[in-house]
Amino acid sequence: ACQIIGRWATLLLAPFPLVAATWGNYLELDSLFYSEAVPIHGLLNDWDGENRVGEHAVSLIHVESGVSTENWQLGLFYRNEYHLRFTPETARFYQDKQLGVPSVSGKIYQLGLHGIQYEVTGLRAGFQFPLNEFFDLTIRGDYLEGQSLRLLDLQASGNLATLSSWRDIHDLQFQQSYSGQDALLDKLGVPEGRQSDGIGYALGLGLSYDQGLLSFQADVDNWLGRIYWDQALKTTLEMQDGTHGTWFPVFPDYGRLGRLTQQLPIEVKIAGQWQTTLDWALTVRTRITKGHQFNWLGVEWNRDSAIRLRGELEPIAKAVGINFEMPWGEIGVSSDNINWRDAHYLALQAQFQFYW
């Protein structure tokens, strides 16, 4: 029996060097802000700024720190996600109201908006083992504790042009219940954020390939992921017919708290590199998160494989990125505008590793 147990232990632990392992601390930051309709700064400040055609806004912030070896990883993290999907007419209606633009008499507005924002802290454990000479597989597991959750669904149509006091009625109804942290969600009926308790899990997979001149890395986060909320706040909006052809916003379940099972959005990251010469390489990256896909093409210069400098271009968001990598870590920043107040796309990534 001892021989059988010993053989199984040898097979299971063979990929993981338990002796003379190199331990270290790591710190990671991954942030992404994207707004199609108005600049990011305007999205957070009463929808201020030029309103171009768009239907989505997203904000992702992930901070993680922990310890790791060549094969193992154990860390604590904080994550805040915000996704907003709306019709172009909803954006135009809201901005016209904010700027006081006179409404066209009798105009029928088609309003549609879906928003979700959640905040979690968690514990992550992961390990990597080789599949063969070129491929490595990584498995990650997360334990999640939810801090807050906000949901909003709005589907309505009606003649709001003659209702000149709509904002006054709205403010009177909710002046005790909401703050102006997020312009569009708050003005359309999401109350002030409340603490919600949730517990969940998430599983992630990673696959890497390195053949020397050609390499790639693929990661899938939240491949399986759920958060079970005990006190989730949901808000829906209906339009009811009023006098003189006007419509009034009504929130039938305003402030309703209840249990909710949230399925986490799958996020995919793929990065590839082709070493064309000793010092130069071509790179490609793709990031997919909740209906958004960003594709990057880049050129990388490296010196003795210790210092790397990469420039990238994302044609859809019209963003440019720069990434600087050294043996102890890397920093990357990308944007579609030099002036951050006018940027529709802004991202910052940093990773640092210190070995003992």
Side-chain angles (χ1 to χ4, degrees):
C2 293
Q3 292 180 350
I4 295 176
I5 295 175
R7 290 175 184 175
W8 275 106
T10 302
L11 291 175
L12 292 174
L13 299 178
F16 315 117
L18 301 180
V19 181
T22 302
W23 288 84
N25 294 98
Y26 71 90
L27 175 64
E28 295 180 358
L29 168 65
D30 182 15
S31 61
L32 168 64
F33 308 92
Y34 179 61
S35 174
E36 292 179 345
V38 295
I40 300 167
H41 182 265
L43 179 69
L44 303 176
N45 291 273
D46 289 334
W47 212 252
D48 184 24
E50 181 183 359
N51 183 13
R52 66 186 191 186
V53 177
E55 300 180 0
H56 297 90
V58 60
S59 170
L60 305 174
I61 301 175
H62 182 96
V63 182
E64 182 178 344
S65 180
V67 295
S68 65
T69 67
E70 183 180 356
N71 300 99
W72 292 89
Q73 171 190 5
L74 182 65
L76 299 172
F77 65 88
Y78 165 84
R79 188 171 182 87
N80 192 314
E81 289 201 22
Y82 165 82
H83 299 275
L84 190 63
R85 186 179 71 251
F86 47 87
T87 62
E89 189 165 4
T90 303
R92 288 195 299 269
F93 162 75
Y94 179 74
Q95 189 175 48
D96 288 347
K97 287 295 182 182
Q98 289 294 92
L99 300 178
V101 177
S103 300
V104 178
S105 178
K107 177 176 175 57
I108 300 298
Y109 289 91
Q110 303 292 335
L111 303 181
L113 182 144
H114 173 75
I116 179 172
Q117 186 272 333
Y118 67 95
E119 182 181 13
V120 298
T121 57
L123 173 66
R124 169 168 292 181
F127 61 92
Q128 180 186 68
F129 58 92
L131 296 178
N132 55 35
E133 182 181 358
F134 303 111
F135 286 93
D136 291 328
L137 179 66
T138 301
I139 300 177
R140 296 180 295 271
D142 298 340
Y143 166 76
L144 307 175
E145 290 191 353
Q147 308 299 319
S148 64
L149 172 70
R150 295 198 301 172
L151 295 173
L152 171 67
D153 282 299
L154 181 157
Q155 297 292 331
S157 63
N159 180 2
L160 299 176
T162 58
L163 187 57
S164 59
S165 60
W166 181 79
R167 284 187 60 191
D168 298 332
I169 294 175
H170 182 275
D171 292 341
L172 179 64
Q173 185 176 2
F174 299 107
Q175 63 181 350
Q176 302 298 328
S177 325
Y178 82 97
S179 61
Q181 296 179 356
D182 181 87
L184 187 57
L185 283 179
D186 285 333
K187 294 296 185 181
L188 288 176
V190 174
E192 182 179 359
R194 304 179 185 175
Q195 293 299 313
S196 301
D197 295 327
I199 294 179
Y201 68 91
L203 299 178
L205 295 175
L207 181 66
S208 62
Y209 170 83
D210 192 349
Q211 189 263 337
L213 296 179
L214 183 64
S215 62
F216 77 84
Q217 173 76 36
D219 290 287
V220 180
D221 288 324
N222 302 330
W223 174 59
L224 289 176
R226 299 285 191 279
I227 300 180
Y228 302 96
W229 300 91
D230 287 332
Q231 296 293 321
L233 177 62
K234 297 186 65 176
T235 302
T236 58
L237 180 146
E238 296 178 358
M239 305 301 293
Q240 290 190 2
D241 196 0
T243 60
H244 306 294
T246 61
W247 291 70
F248 286 83
V250 176
F251 301 86
D253 61 353
Y254 170 71
R256 179 170 58 88
L257 296 174
R259 292 186 177 182
L260 176 72
T261 299
Q262 177 193 359
Q263 181 175 348
L264 297 178
I266 296 177
E267 184 170 5
V268 179
K269 299 178 184 177
I270 303 175
Q273 177 177 294
W274 176 36
Q275 195 75 31
T276 57
T277 67
L278 186 62
D279 298 328
W280 294 91
L282 299 177
T283 64
V284 60
R285 288 194 303 124
T286 296
R287 182 169 187 168
I288 306 172
T289 173
K290 200 173 175 63
H292 304 278
Q293 181 170 346
F294 303 101
N295 302 309
W296 293 86
L297 299 175
V299 178
E300 183 177 276
W301 172 82
N302 63 81
R303 181 177 180 181
D304 300 329
S305 299
I307 299 177
R308 299 175 182 268
L309 181 63
R310 183 173 71 244
E312 298 177 303
L313 173 65
E314 210 292 327
I316 303 300
K318 299 181 176 60
V320 176
I322 298 177
N323 185 276
F324 181 66
E325 181 178 349
M326 296 187 68
W328 45 266
E330 62 178 303
I331 299 176
V333 61
S334 53
S335 178
D336 66 328
N337 199 302
I338 298 178
N339 184 356
W340 69 272
R341 297 174 68 93
D342 297 328
H344 289 256
Y345 181 99
L346 184 62
L348 175 64
Q349 286 85 31
Q351 182 177 5
F352 304 100
Q353 184 83 41
F354 303 98
Y355 295 100
W356 304 346

